[in-house]
Amino acid sequence: RADPPPPARRYSTLYMQAPPALEQQLRPNLDKPLKDLIESGDEITVTDPVFPGSKSLALKVVFEDAMAE
């Protein structure tokens, strides 16, 4: 008997400054609470030109109300 596959991971871009068309499409996300965009336990990757080379920052987000469960 095979185990069920793990849940599918969601990948999406929350915001980008460029290209302009993508920035315009994603701009409404800036007004939304983070909990409306991701789930507790999700990992987000932050990229920025100030990071040396092509480095990025990975953050695991856990909402306080989820910690009480």
Side-chain angles (χ1 to χ4, degrees):
R1 184 176 152 150
D3 290 333
R9 298 296 297 164
R10 298 176 301 131
Y11 296 99
S12 63
T13 301
L14 300 178
Y15 182 74
M16 287 184 69
Q17 291 180 322
L22 187 56
E23 192 277 339
Q24 183 179 11
Q25 178 184 356
L26 297 172
R27 179 173 282 279
N29 285 345
L30 295 176
D31 294 325
K32 296 177 184 176
L34 195 55
K35 67 180 180 148
D36 289 351
L37 300 170
I38 65 171
E39 296 176 5
S40 187
D42 282 354
E43 185 174 288
I44 60 173
T45 302
V46 179
T47 59
D48 193 295
V50 300
F51 294 159
S54 59
K55 299 211 180 204
S56 60
L57 176 65
L59 302 168
K60 182 174 181 176
V61 178
V62 178
F63 298 114
E64 284 186 3
D65 58 341
M67 292 173 54
E69 296 176 0

